[in-house]
């Protein structure tokens, strides 16, 4: 996610801002920039890469000024580059903005502004904000910001300064975090607590729709009408390490709890529940190419491979396109038949996994169309694939992939619904229904997260086991694989994921009281079959933990423990059912004292064979 820091007071704004941005580096970024008001003029410096490049620039040519804003950018619209780095200015160079979030309607706004003569210098959605403020600016920068935001659809944490008004910073918040720090004759804005802790522990957490006017001596929190809003001043007791994790014990837990937001961020602006339309404007895949698709190959590793297995069900069920899913390290050496009328989707959080990149290269050599589902803008995969559909999860710090997985599923739902509609494999009504259901998923996922303490208790009860089996069927078989991977990679307990129907072909010989079985038994067309598999396991002395649908009255009598999740259409059940397995694995690893965020022997991105 991007990082914002603003300062107004008697210190050198540049020093405070650079220091604050350095405390937000954990959020991940690919470029940085800073703007101060110096002798009535705006002075801006930007650099691609790490903050130290910017610091080096400033060491050669110091920034002087007591009012300023700075930014570390995690690219979502426009590649990582100096031109795309924030801050961005209007045509006059008097108005400067930094922004975290996504302006959904930036293209239509940019088109109008360009037609009215505005000159753009970047590919970003953010720059539109600077020109919108400019066109409304008649001397009152607050009013101009309000007018600009009234035209915007999307999410923003925003900082604005204007050289005509050096004694003020304007900031605003909509669906992206922003805090104000209260100092002694100095005040601050920041995306997150760590940036401000060395200067103040008194902070105001802005609420949706808040706009603030910040001077060195005063902070006014207003709404769009300019009416004062009462906001509590919080005293932050956290130390810096706690603050980076947002108060969570580990990045992995923070990222598990971020999933409702990251799923929403990934589908935001790409689907409209009112019109039942999917809008993937960033892809250049003509409708006729979609209609002529003979097959989809999905190639990935690890958790991303499991997402691909879910994707198979989505594309075959909705778009009626045959799908083959491969582990990249196998695919690249088996001399696959490359069908020119197929499309190969590679899934990679990092976009740097060696085996996956090798598979991409192999497919491209066979002139097959390629599409990357990736979380890192500017990564190798996103540069080499013909098209990229980005998940918008922000940097995933924990080595065990969680929010990236549900982000990948979200991207796969969008593609499957879009292609199913284009191929007329589903009716308009069906498309609307499926989109409405996807729209509700973040809320349902919040319901699942409420069970985290119950799952914590379950983890304590079973953390002594040395072997675990995860069973699932149909669209939830990949979730059994993913649950087993999560448990083994962070708690080092041996765990296997299996198709439940496969048990009688061998693995059932393993089951006894020392090998608990976690079964994904939510409502589905194979529910009765799953109940049969549960009976098989119980009959051999197995202890069965079920992930089941709320209101299921049968499951309690048939299993030892249950975790209930909201009822959703079977095709959406994987994106909910995976979360109890993430939490279970996390809490088992914590009980065992494992290094949850940095498990032994593992790297976040496997960039070598
Ligand atoms: C999953 O928790 C692991 N971190 C690992 O399996 C990971 O999914 C795999 O290495 C693929 O990484 P990628 O998505 O960055 O390509």
């Amino acid at each position: 996610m991007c990082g914002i820091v603003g300062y107004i007071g008697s210190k050198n704004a540049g020093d405070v801002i650079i220091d604050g941005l350095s405390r937000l580096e954990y959020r991940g970024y690919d470029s940085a920039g800073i703007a101060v008001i110096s002798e009535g003029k705006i002075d801006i410096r930007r650099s691609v890469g790490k903050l130290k490049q910017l610091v080096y620039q400033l060491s050669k040519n110091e920034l002087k000024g007591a009012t300023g804003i700075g930014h570390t950018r995690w690219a979502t619209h426009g590649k990582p580059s100096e031109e795309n780095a924030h801050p961005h200015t209007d045509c006059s160079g008097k108005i400067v903005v930094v922004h975290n979030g996504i302006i959904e309607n930036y293209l239509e706004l940019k088109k109008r502004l360009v037609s009215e003569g505005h000159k753009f210098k970047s590919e970003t959605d953010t720059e539109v904000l600077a020109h919108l403020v400019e066109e409304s600016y008649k001397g009152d920068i607050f009013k101009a910001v309000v007018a600009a935001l009234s035209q915007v659809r999307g999410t923003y944490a925003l900082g604005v300064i204007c050289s005509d008004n050096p004694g003020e910073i304007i900031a605003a918040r909509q669906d992206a975090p922003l805090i104000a720090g209260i100092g002694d004759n100095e005040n601050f804005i920041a995306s997150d607590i760590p940036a401000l802790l060395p200067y103040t522990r008194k902070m105001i957490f802005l609420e949706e729709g808040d706009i603030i006017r910040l001077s060195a001596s005063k902070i006014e929190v207003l709404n769009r009408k300019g009416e004062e809003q009462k906001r509590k001043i919080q005293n932050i007791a956290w130390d810096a390490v706690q603050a980076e994790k947002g108060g969570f014990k580990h990045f992995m837990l923070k990222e598990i709890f971020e999933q409702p937001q990251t799923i929403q961020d990934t589908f935001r602006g790409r689907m409209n529940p009112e019109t039942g339309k999917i809008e993937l404007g960033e892809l250049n895949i003509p409708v006729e190419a979609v209609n002529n698709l003979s097959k989809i190959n999905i190639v990935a590793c690890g958790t991303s491979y499991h997402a691909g297995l879910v994707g198979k069900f989505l594309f075959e069920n909705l778009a009626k396109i045959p799908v083959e899913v491969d582990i990249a390290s196998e695919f690249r050496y088996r001399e696959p038949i490359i069908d020119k009328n197929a499309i190969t989707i590679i899934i990679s959080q990092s976009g740097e996994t060696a085996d996956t990149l090798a598979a991409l290269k192999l497919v491209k050599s066979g002139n097959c169309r390629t599409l990357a589902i990736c979380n890192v803008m500017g990564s190798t995969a996103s540069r080499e694939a013909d098209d990229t559909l980005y998940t918008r999860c922000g940097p995933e710090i924990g080595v065990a992939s969680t929010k990236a997985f549900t982000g990948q599923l979200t991207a796969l739902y969008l593609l499957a619904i879009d292609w199913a509609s284009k191929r007329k494999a589903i009716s308009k009504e069906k498309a609307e229904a499926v989109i409405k259901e996807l729209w509700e998923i973040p809320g349902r996922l919040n319901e699942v997260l409420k069970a985290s303490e119950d799952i914590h208790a379950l983890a304590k009860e079973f953390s002594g086991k040395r072997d675990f089996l995860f069973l699932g069927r149909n669209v939830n078989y990949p979730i059994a694989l993913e649950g087993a991977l999560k448990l083994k990679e962070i708690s080092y307990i041996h765990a296997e994921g299996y198709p439940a129907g496969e048990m009688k072909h061998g693995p059932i010989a393993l089951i006894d009281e020392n090998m608990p079985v976690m079964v994904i038994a939510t409502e589905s067309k194979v529910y009765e079959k799953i109940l049969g598999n549960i009976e098989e396991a119980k009959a051999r002395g197995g202890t069965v933990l079920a992930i089941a649908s709320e209101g299921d009255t049968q499951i309690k009598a048939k299993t030892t423990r249950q975790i209930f999740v909201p009822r959703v259409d079977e095709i959406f059940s994987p994106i909910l059912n995976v979360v109890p397995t993430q939490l279970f694995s996390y809490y088992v690893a914590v009980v065992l004292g494992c290094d949850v965020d940095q498990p032994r022997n593992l790297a976040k991105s496997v960039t070598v064979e």
Side-chain angles (χ1 to χ4, degrees):
M1 272 86 78
C2 306
I4 289 175
V5 177
Y7 173 78
I8 187 161
S10 53
K11 294 186 179 76
N12 181 302
D15 297 340
V16 175
I17 291 167
I18 290 293
D19 178 46
L21 290 176
S22 69
R23 298 169 193 281
L24 298 181
E25 287 199 279
Y26 69 90
R27 294 160 69 93
Y29 64 100
D30 43 55
S31 56
I34 182 170
V36 299
I37 300 176
S38 175
E39 292 160 7
K41 284 197 174 43
I42 297 285
D43 190 350
I44 288 188
R45 313 292 169 78
R46 290 189 288 238
S47 75
V48 68
K50 291 305 171 196
L51 213 43
K52 59 179 188 295
Q53 270 90 336
L54 186 61
V55 171
Y56 176 67
Q57 260 196 55
L58 298 179
S59 67
K60 292 196 298 179
N61 176 7
E62 198 194 358
L63 261 183
K64 286 193 176 62
T67 303
I69 50 178
H71 188 267
T72 46
R73 179 176 182 246
W74 173 270
T76 56
H77 292 71
K79 65 185 177 303
S81 68
E82 191 166 324
E83 299 70 32
N84 288 334
H86 302 205
H88 289 288
T89 68
D90 68 328
C91 302
S92 72
K94 292 202 299 188
I95 296 167
V96 186
V97 305
V98 290
H99 164 238
N100 180 15
I102 296 161
I103 306 299
E104 293 171 21
N105 59 335
Y106 86 98
L107 282 174
E108 62 193 78
L109 290 168
K110 182 169 181 175
K111 202 161 154 234
R112 173 179 68 76
L113 289 160
V114 168
S115 70
E116 289 163 5
H118 286 264
K119 298 280 177 275
F120 280 77
K121 301 182 273 297
S122 81
E123 304 162 311
T124 65
D125 55 337
T126 300
E127 191 182 354
V128 160
L129 294 168
H131 294 280
L132 287 176
V133 174
E134 175 190 15
E135 74 170 354
S136 301
Y137 179 60
K138 308 271 182 295
D140 182 330
I141 190 68
F142 173 79
K143 284 191 180 141
V145 170
V146 171
L149 294 179
S150 67
Q151 302 173 65
V152 157
R153 245 193 1 261
T155 63
Y156 48 81
L158 177 68
V160 183
I161 57 175
C162 173
S163 54
D164 290 350
N165 185 12
E168 207 172 36
I169 296 177
I170 308 294
R173 173 209 162 128
Q174 186 65 48
D175 288 327
L178 192 65
I179 51 182
I182 301 154
D184 183 6
N185 264 325
E186 59 183 10
N187 286 312
F188 312 76
I189 57 168
S191 305
D192 205 352
I193 293 168
L196 303 183
L197 281 179
Y199 304 96
T200 178
R201 288 186 176 277
K202 292 196 293 183
M203 300 183 195
I204 295 169
F205 292 82
L206 296 191
E207 295 182 19
E208 300 308 352
D210 283 356
I211 301 184
I212 56 172
R213 307 187 75 141
L214 209 80
S215 66
S217 57
K218 196 175 163 194
I219 296 180
E220 284 179 283
V221 182
L222 309 162
N223 62 14
R224 300 289 166 83
K225 298 190 193 92
E227 295 157 349
E228 183 135 12
Q229 307 297 301
K230 289 276 169 257
R231 293 288 175 260
K232 196 161 165 297
I233 297 174
Q234 313 262 5
N235 195 53
I236 304 300
W238 286 341
D239 63 32
V241 173
Q242 285 170 310
E244 279 189 6
K245 294 169 187 157
F248 288 98
K249 194 167 176 208
H250 297 99
F251 279 110
M252 181 178 175
L253 190 60
K254 179 183 177 202
E255 288 155 4
I256 289 171
F257 276 80
E258 281 177 346
Q259 291 180 110
Q261 187 62 50
T262 49
I263 289 169
Q264 194 173 55
D265 288 345
T266 298
F267 68 49
R268 187 187 292 281
R270 291 167 160 168
M271 72 179 196
N272 183 331
E274 270 74 54
T275 62
K277 283 247 179 306
I278 298 284
E279 289 123 15
L280 300 177
E282 61 265 62
L283 301 185
N284 306 302
I285 306 175
V287 176
E288 53 278 1
V290 173
N291 283 320
N292 296 335
L293 277 180
S294 57
K295 177 182 164 189
I296 298 172
N297 285 314
I298 300 178
V299 185
C301 300
T303 286
S304 300
Y305 167 71
H306 298 152
L309 290 173
V310 175
K312 174 181 175 68
F313 285 95
L314 307 183
F315 286 116
E316 293 191 347
N317 183 298
L318 293 172
K320 308 300 178 209
I321 307 172
V323 180
E324 194 172 342
V325 189
D326 278 274
I327 287 174
S329 53
E330 288 299 305
F331 180 83
R332 64 184 290 195
Y333 293 113
R334 69 171 172 77
E335 295 173 16
I337 308 297
I338 310 288
D339 175 347
K340 288 188 181 45
N341 293 323
I343 185 167
T344 298
I345 299 175
I346 63 139
I347 304 175
S348 177
Q349 187 283 132
S350 63
E352 300 299 346
T353 299
D355 286 321
T356 307
L357 293 177
L360 174 59
K361 209 170 179 153
L362 174 64
V363 164
K364 286 186 70 170
S365 67
N367 294 322
C368 175
R369 184 185 287 274
T370 56
L371 165 66
I373 293 177
C374 186
N375 192 44
V376 181
M377 188 166 260
S379 59
T380 306
S382 66
R383 291 199 309 276
E384 296 195 357
D386 298 321
D387 280 284
T388 300
L389 184 58
Y390 286 107
T391 52
R392 294 170 181 159
C393 303
E396 188 174 64
I397 313 289
V399 166
S401 188
T402 51
K403 64 177 182 175
F405 177 73
T406 50
Q408 291 161 352
L409 294 189
T410 305
L412 288 162
Y413 283 118
L414 292 170
L415 278 171
I417 300 165
D418 185 35
W419 292 356
S421 301
K422 285 174 175 156
R423 292 167 64 97
K424 300 196 179 2
I426 56 172
S427 66
K428 191 172 176 314
E429 294 67 33
K430 172 75 174 169
E432 284 168 4
V434 174
I435 286 173
K436 276 200 175 68
E437 181 114 33
L438 179 53
W439 188 265
E440 299 300 329
I441 288 297
R444 300 204 192 290
L445 216 156
N446 275 318
E447 292 305 305
V448 178
L449 292 169
K450 285 178 187 159
S452 97
E453 275 318 304
D454 298 338
I455 296 169
H456 191 174
L458 216 49
K460 282 181 188 154
E461 189 180 347
F462 288 90
S463 57
K465 300 298 181 186
R466 295 314 305 149
D467 297 285
F468 244 94
L469 213 47
F470 286 74
L471 301 182
R473 274 183 179 260
N474 202 25
V475 75
N476 282 296
Y477 161 46
I479 303 307
L481 295 174
E482 177 58 14
L485 175 60
K486 285 281 117 12
L487 186 64
K488 68 183 122 188
E489 69 174 320
I490 62 174
S491 72
Y492 317 139
I493 292 173
H494 168 249
E496 287 190 69
Y498 246 93
E502 192 59 9
M503 289 307 296
K504 51 191 172 299
H505 301 288
I508 204 161
L510 285 171
I511 292 183
D512 60 23
E513 66 284 356
N514 295 316
M515 178 180 261
V517 185
M518 183 172 281
V519 185
I520 296 151
T522 45
E523 182 186 19
S524 78
K525 62 184 178 222
V526 289
Y527 175 73
E528 293 303 326
K529 299 290 179 199
I530 281 276
L531 286 187
N533 300 137
I534 289 172
E535 291 296 345
E536 287 165 9
K538 293 273 284 177
R540 283 133 184 105
T543 303
V544 180
L545 297 72
I547 297 173
S549 297
E550 278 165 358
D552 180 337
T553 52
Q554 297 187 68
I555 204 75
K556 261 196 171 26
K558 295 180 179 296
T559 54
T560 316
R561 296 283 182 275
Q562 307 82 31
I563 303 165
F564 289 100
V565 299
R567 280 178 189 278
V568 290
D569 183 290
E570 180 175 0
I571 205 159
F572 287 105
S573 56
I575 204 167
L576 294 190
N577 294 344
V578 71
V579 177
T581 71
Q582 295 170 345
L583 287 167
F584 181 77
S585 307
Y586 168 78
Y587 285 121
V588 167
V590 168
V591 168
L592 295 177
C594 297
D595 183 350
V596 173
D597 283 331
Q598 301 287 341
R600 68 185 183 199
N601 312 334
L602 295 181
K604 183 59 190 167
S605 176
V606 183
T607 56
V608 293
E609 268 209 67

